Every structure is written in structure tokens, then in C-alpha cells.
């Protein structure tokens, strides 16, 4: 009897102890959660400031009056790209909810231009020598003086010198590719280059799908006239950016198939340059014939890579987006290869609908074949479903909320036609050399000196101060 009584007392004591423990734990948990919430809120504010600072370091395309600027939102894709960059560099996992975008305050920031410090490595010394001997060295401190080259663009001797320098720089890049990628490329081929951050709106996917299309054309029509091409990619993608990383995988998978197909006799080569950075950019920019600037119209804030290519005499293949618009204004549309929807057309489709990529898939057999190769194992025999997410992103909403958000299929045929114009133009050495020289001659506007001057006058409203120096 006493044993049972003692067991009952022990059980009650145990229950009471558990209840007290739960109460104490609850207080502790509540305090911890409150502390966590405060910490999380502080972290969110810190992350928000980090993103806002990154935005302010960039520049936006907002074409607004100064009265409209406070509190203005930049494109969500721009914010997302900035966040991806921050996450990749810092190892963080920043995410912003829709309401938090409203807390981002951006200002009117102008086209940044390229610094003269960048010019020193972007203009290869051989080209610099040709320029110096032709117009003097004044352009180094005052890039606007490059326009003096305009008087010499029809000089056949100077054209040949420019082409000779380009050929030499292409051989250097070919050697680099052989050493680092193990791929033989022909310096006499057209070096078609797209190097930049990998983001869907920059449309590296459009580029590689077109390469797949060209490969199909050559296989089906081996007798067709075709000027050899080397398609060169370089990019980095945020660790968590699934489609971007899959696009890099696709580029390399396509390269594996095409580069090892002896039947096409080297007419196409595809190269993905690993770890794209300043040191190999020095080699790439100087060797490029074609500068791929093919973002969906209305999506690119500006871009400076296109200016660096221009400075080295590469011709722009692109949409009327970002700084491409200003480049075309300077060099003339006849010295660039423009294609695709306009910004107004893109925005109209986004706001009002009317575009269904399945219509193109069902009516254009060339495009259909390319897309089917994404899911039939042609480029991934070990895993035919590997590129299914890319296929889905273009044709349905299984991966994204909008099919073909960046109008890749809509612009495909226009892009292919522009590429055809590139080939035709390149066959005319004299004409190509003149266009290349015109690009160099008109790049002076894109120096950061002009940009800073515009900030001083239009944004900061500063007065110049003259400083007397004792000699």
C-alpha cells in the first residue's frame, strides 16, 4: 500500500516537474524567438541596405524627371540579379519579398562609361601603336580625340594594319583556348564573342540555340556556303541560379558534340572560357570580331562590355537595348547588326499579352527541331531529361510563371537573319575593316570622364574649382 502511495507521489512530482520545465522552456523559447525576430529584422534591414548600396553602385535606366525619382523602383530582374551576385560573393542567402522592393530607394544614375584606367588594358598595345602613329597620343588623355580617326577609315594601308593586328590578337586567343580548353580554333574564322554575367535576360540561351540551329543546317546541307565561326562564351552564374547554371551546362554539352564532329570539318567551334575575369578579358576583347549584346529590349540598364568591344574594333550584334542604342547613334546602324523586338513591343506583350511561344514551336520546324534536341538526349545521352527545365521555360509554365519570358523564340529568326548579315559583311575585308575603325573612332563618347561631367552638371550641380599648381 505504501509502495503504491510512494509511486503516486513520485508520479505527481514528475508531472509537476515536467510542467515547470515546459513553462520555463516556454519563457526561454519566447525570449529566444523574440530575440531571433529582432535579429532577423536587423539582418533584413542590413541585407536591404546591402542590396540598396549595390544598386546605387550600379546605374539604372529609369528615364524619369528628378521629381519622379525618389522612391522609384528599378526593374525587379535587376534587383534579383544584384541579389544573386551578392549571394554568390558573400555566401549569404538574401531573398526579398515583394513588399520589401518598395523599401528600395534608387536615384537617377547615368551610363557609367569606361575609365581610362580600363582603356589601358582594353586597347591592346598593338592597336594603340597604330592609333598613335595615325592621330598622335592625345586620345589617351582625351578619348574624344579618337574621332580624328574618321579621316583615315578609307585608307587601305591603315585598314590592312588594323586587320593585321586583329589577326595577331586572334592567334593569341586561339593559343590561350588551346592551352586552357584543349580546343583547336581557326584564327581565320569569325570570332563571335559573348562574355558577361549569365542571366536569362542577357540571352546566352538564344546564342547557343542558334549555334544548335546552324549545326543542324550544316549537317542537313553539307554543301551550303558557310563562313567558319568560333562561338566564344564566358560567364559566371550565382550558385543558386538553376537555369543559368543549366545554360552553362548546355553550352558545354553542345561544344562537346560539335567540336568532336569531324564531318563538319571545323566549320563551327564552341568554346566556354572558364573563370572569365580581367586577366583573360585582356585577351578576349582584343580578339573579338563580333560583340554579342543580345539582351531582351528594355531589360538591360546599360552595359560597359559593349563599349570595350567597340574600343577594340568589334562590331556589335544586338538589340536596341541599353548602351547599344547610344553605340548605334554614334557609329550608324550600317556599322552594327541590329535585330529583334523593340522595347515598346516587349513592354506591350508583357502588359497586354498576345505572344504564345507554342505558336512558333508548332509552325517553325527548324526551331522545333532545336528544342526537341533539348529533351531527346541529343546533347545529353546519359540523361535525356537534363535540359527539360530549359525546354519548359521556353514553352510552358512548369518552371516559370510565364513561358519564354525573355522572348527568345520570338526573336530567334530575326537573330538568325542578323547573323547571316554578319557573315556577308565579314566576307568583305575592306568594308569590315572600315566598320571596325569607325567603331574605334566613335568610342570616345563612352569614357567615364563624360559621365562624371554629366553628373557634375545634371545631378550634383557643382561648380568647378580651379586649382593653381606651383611649378
Amino acid at each position: 500500500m505504501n509502495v503504491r502511495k510512494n509511486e503516486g507521489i513520485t508520479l505527481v512530482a514528475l508531472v509537476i516537474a515536467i510542467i515547470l520545465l515546459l513553462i520555463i522552456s516556454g519563457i526561454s523559447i519566447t525570449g529566444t524567438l523574440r530575440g531571433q525576430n529582432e535579429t532577423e529584422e536587423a539582418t533584413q534591414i542590413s541585407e536591404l541596405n546591402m542590396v540598396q548600396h549595390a544598386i546605387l553602385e550600379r546605374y539604372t535606366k529609369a528615364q524619369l524627371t528628378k521629381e519622379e525619382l525618389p522612391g522609384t523602383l528599378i526593374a525587379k530582374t535587376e534587383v534579383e540579379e544584384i541579389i544573386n551576385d551578392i549571394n554568390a560573393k558573400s555566401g549569404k542567402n538574401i531573398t526579398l519579398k515583394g513588399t520589401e522592393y518598395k523599401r528600395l530607394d534608387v536615384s537617377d544614375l547615368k551610363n557609367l562609361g569606361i575609365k581610362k584606367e580600363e582603356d589601358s588594358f582594353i586597347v591592346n598595345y598593338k592597336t594603340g601603336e597604330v592609333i598613335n602613329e595615325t592621330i598622335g597620343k592625345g586620345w589617351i588623355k582625351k578619348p574624344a580625340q579618337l574621332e580624328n580617326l574618321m579621316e583615315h577609315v578609307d585608307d587601305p594601308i591603315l585598314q590592312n594594319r588594323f586587320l593585321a593586328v586583329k589577326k595577331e590578337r586572334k592567334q593569341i586567343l586561339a593559343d590561350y583556348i588551346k592551352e586552357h580548353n584543349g580546343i583547336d580554333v581557326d584564327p581565320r574564322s569569325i570570332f563571335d564573342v559573348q562574355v558577361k554575367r549569365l542571366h536569362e535576360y542577357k540571352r546566352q540561351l538564344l546564342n547557343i540555340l542558334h549555334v544548335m540551329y546552324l549545326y543542324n543546317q550544316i549537317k542537313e546541307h553539307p554543301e551550303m556556303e558557310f563562313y567558319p565561326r568560333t562561338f566564344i562564351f564566358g560567364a559566371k552564374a550565382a550558385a543558386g541560379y538553376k537555369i543559368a547554371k543549366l545554360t552553362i551546362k548546355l553550352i558545354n554539352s553542345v561544344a562537346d558534340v560539335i567540336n568532336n564532329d569531324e564531318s563538319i570539318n571545323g566549320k563551327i567551334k564552341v568554346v566556354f572560357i572558364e573563370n572569365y575575369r580581367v586577366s583573360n578579358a585582356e585577351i578576349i576583347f582584343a580578339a573579338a570580331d563580333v560583340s554579342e549584346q543580345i539582351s531582351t529590349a528594355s531589360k538591360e540598364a546599360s552595359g560597359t562590355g559593349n563599349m570595350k568591344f567597340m574600343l577594340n574594333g568589334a562590331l556589335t550584334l544586338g538589340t536596341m537595348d541599353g548602351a547599344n542604342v547610344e553605340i548605334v547613334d554614334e557609329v550608324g546602324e550600317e556599322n552594327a547588326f541590329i535585330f529583334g523586338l523593340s522595347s515598346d513591343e516587349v513592354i506591350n506583350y508583357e502588359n497586354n499579352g498576345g505572344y504564345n511561344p507554342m505558336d512558333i514551336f508548332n509552325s517553325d520546324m527548324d526551331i522545333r527541331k532545336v528544342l526537341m534536341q533539348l529533351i531527346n538526349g541529343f546533347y545529353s545521352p546519359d540523361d535525356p531529361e537534363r535540359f527539360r527545365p530549359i525546354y519548359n521555360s521556353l514553352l510552358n509554365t512548369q518552371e516559370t510563371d510565364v513561358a519564354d519570358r525573355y522572348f527568345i523564340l520570338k526573336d530567334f529568326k530575326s537573330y538568325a537573319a542578323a547573323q547571316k548579315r554578319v557573315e556577308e559583311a565579314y566576307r568583305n575585308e575592306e568594308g569590315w575593316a572600315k566598320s571596325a575603325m569607325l567603331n574605334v573612332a566613335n568610342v570616345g563618347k563612352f569614357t567615364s570622364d563624360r559621365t562624371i561631367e554629366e553628373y557634375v552638371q545634371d545631378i550634383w550641380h557643382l561648380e568647378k574649382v580651379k586649382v593653381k599648381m606651383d611649378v
Side-chain angles (χ1 to χ4, degrees):
M1 185 74 174
N2 288 336
V3 173
R4 289 183 179 177
K5 184 176 180 180
N6 290 338
E7 287 177 350
I9 293 171
T10 302
L11 182 61
V12 171
L14 182 61
V15 170
I16 291 171
I18 291 172
I19 292 172
L20 288 173
L21 183 61
L22 288 173
I23 291 171
I24 293 170
S25 298
I27 293 171
S28 176
I29 291 170
T30 302
T32 301
L33 288 176
R34 186 182 298 114
Q36 286 177 347
N37 288 339
E38 291 172 355
T39 302
E40 287 174 3
E41 184 175 354
T43 300
Q44 286 174 356
I45 292 172
S46 174
E47 290 175 348
L48 206 62
N49 290 338
M50 188 184 300
V51 174
Q52 184 166 314
H53 179 72
I55 291 171
L56 292 175
E57 282 188 335
R58 273 199 204 188
Y59 40 90
T60 89
K61 193 184 175 183
Q63 296 178 347
L64 304 168
T65 65
K66 292 182 177 126
E67 291 74 21
E68 295 173 314
L69 288 170
T72 299
L73 299 182
I74 66 172
K76 188 173 180 180
T77 53
E78 281 287 309
V79 179
E80 290 169 345
E81 182 183 352
I82 289 168
I83 291 171
N84 286 336
D85 285 346
I86 292 173
N87 289 342
K89 292 174 183 175
S90 66
K92 292 180 178 291
N93 187 27
I94 299 174
T95 58
L96 292 184
K97 298 176 182 178
T99 55
E100 291 171 331
Y101 283 99
K102 296 179 182 177
R103 297 165 65 183
L104 292 170
D105 182 21
V106 299
S107 302
D108 184 20
L109 300 173
K110 290 180 176 290
N111 183 318
L112 290 183
I114 48 179
K115 303 188 294 293
K116 288 198 289 294
E117 289 82 354
E118 293 180 71
D119 297 352
S120 64
F121 81 81
I122 292 301
V123 175
N124 67 85
Y125 74 95
K126 287 286 189 179
T127 300
E129 285 180 1
V130 175
I131 296 172
N132 292 344
E133 292 170 13
T134 306
I135 63 171
K137 298 181 180 180
W139 67 274
I140 297 173
K141 290 187 176 181
K142 296 182 179 180
Q145 290 186 16
L146 284 168
E147 66 183 9
N148 293 332
L149 275 174
M150 295 285 288
E151 301 173 13
H152 306 277
V153 295
D154 291 309
D155 181 349
I157 296 176
L158 193 59
Q159 289 174 359
N160 287 333
R161 291 187 69 189
F162 261 81
L163 291 176
V165 170
K166 180 65 72 173
K167 182 178 179 181
E168 179 182 307
R169 308 318 290 186
K170 289 171 73 174
Q171 183 62 61
I172 292 172
L173 179 54
D175 293 341
Y176 177 93
I177 290 170
K178 177 62 176 177
E179 179 182 353
H180 292 84
N181 296 76
I183 301 171
D184 291 306
V185 300
D186 186 353
R188 296 169 298 179
S189 66
I190 301 172
F191 276 19
D192 183 303
V193 182
Q194 187 177 20
V195 288
K196 54 182 74 248
R197 288 186 308 279
L198 205 146
H199 194 294
E200 288 167 276
Y201 82 85
K202 294 180 183 293
R203 300 203 294 190
Q204 285 91 346
L205 182 56
L206 173 59
N207 190 343
I208 195 61
L209 291 177
H210 175 256
V211 173
M212 293 160 62
Y213 161 77
L214 287 180
Y215 179 60
N216 291 341
Q217 292 293 301
I218 292 172
K219 294 292 285 184
E220 293 169 9
H221 309 285
E223 77 290 347
M224 68 181 283
E225 190 175 12
F226 185 84
Y227 202 100
R229 305 281 190 92
T230 299
F231 293 94
I232 299 168
F233 296 83
K236 292 182 179 179
Y241 197 164
K242 177 182 176 182
I243 290 293
K245 293 175 70 176
L246 201 56
T247 302
I248 292 175
K249 179 64 176 175
L250 176 62
I251 292 169
N252 283 283
S253 296
V254 171
D256 287 342
V257 171
I258 293 179
N259 295 344
N260 291 294
D261 186 346
E262 295 182 0
S263 72
I264 66 171
N265 197 28
K267 290 180 179 178
I268 300 177
K269 289 293 179 75
V270 181
V271 179
F272 187 92
I273 294 179
E274 297 179 6
N275 195 19
Y276 171 60
R277 60 198 185 280
V278 170
S279 57
N280 53 29
E282 297 178 25
I283 302 171
I284 297 167
F285 281 112
D289 292 311
V290 178
S291 164
E292 295 257 5
Q293 309 296 332
I294 58 177
S295 57
T296 308
S298 81
K299 303 302 179 187
E300 184 67 80
S302 174
T304 57
N306 46 9
M307 304 171 194
K308 296 166 189 172
F309 279 114
M310 181 184 181
L311 190 57
N312 280 276
L315 275 59
T316 299
L317 167 62
T319 54
M320 289 297 275
D321 192 36
N324 291 353
V325 176
E326 295 172 89
I327 287 175
V328 170
D329 284 344
E330 294 301 306
V331 304
E333 195 163 339
E334 67 277 11
N335 295 300
F337 306 95
I338 301 303
F339 74 95
L341 297 171
S342 68
S343 295
D344 289 342
E345 288 171 323
V346 168
I347 293 169
N348 180 61
Y349 279 126
E350 290 177 333
N351 291 338
N352 304 312
Y355 168 55
N356 181 2
M358 284 301 297
D359 292 340
I360 297 174
F361 179 77
N362 290 327
S363 61
D364 190 315
M365 292 303 104
D366 291 331
I367 291 177
R368 184 186 186 92
K369 180 174 182 177
V370 167
L371 296 188
M372 290 304 297
Q373 288 172 330
L374 293 174
I375 58 171
N376 64 12
F378 190 87
Y379 292 104
S380 56
D382 59 319
D383 181 9
E385 290 292 304
R386 177 174 295 142
F387 301 117
R388 172 75 66 173
I390 293 178
Y391 174 91
N392 287 340
S393 73
L394 294 171
L395 295 176
N396 56 56
T397 56
Q398 293 183 34
E399 298 288 333
T400 55
D401 57 343
V402 177
D404 195 13
R405 178 186 298 278
Y406 297 106
F407 301 93
I408 288 172
L409 302 189
K410 188 69 173 175
D411 275 349
F412 188 93
K413 279 306 173 88
S414 178
Y415 177 64
Q419 284 278 16
K420 198 70 178 171
R421 297 200 303 274
V422 168
E423 179 178 333
E424 293 167 359
Y426 195 80
R427 292 179 184 276
N428 178 358
E429 279 196 357
E430 180 183 338
W432 188 274
K434 179 178 179 179
S435 291
M437 292 168 62
L438 281 167
N439 270 266
V440 176
N442 285 283
V443 77
K445 173 184 176 179
F446 299 104
T447 172
S448 59
D449 288 352
R450 176 192 59 83
T451 307
I452 293 168
E453 182 69 24
E454 288 183 358
Y455 267 95
V456 168
Q457 294 178 359
D458 302 336
I459 305 297
W460 299 327
H461 305 294
L462 301 178
E463 293 183 6
K464 292 185 177 180
V465 177
K466 292 185 178 180
V467 179
K468 292 183 178 180
M469 303 292 290
D470 294 329
V471 180

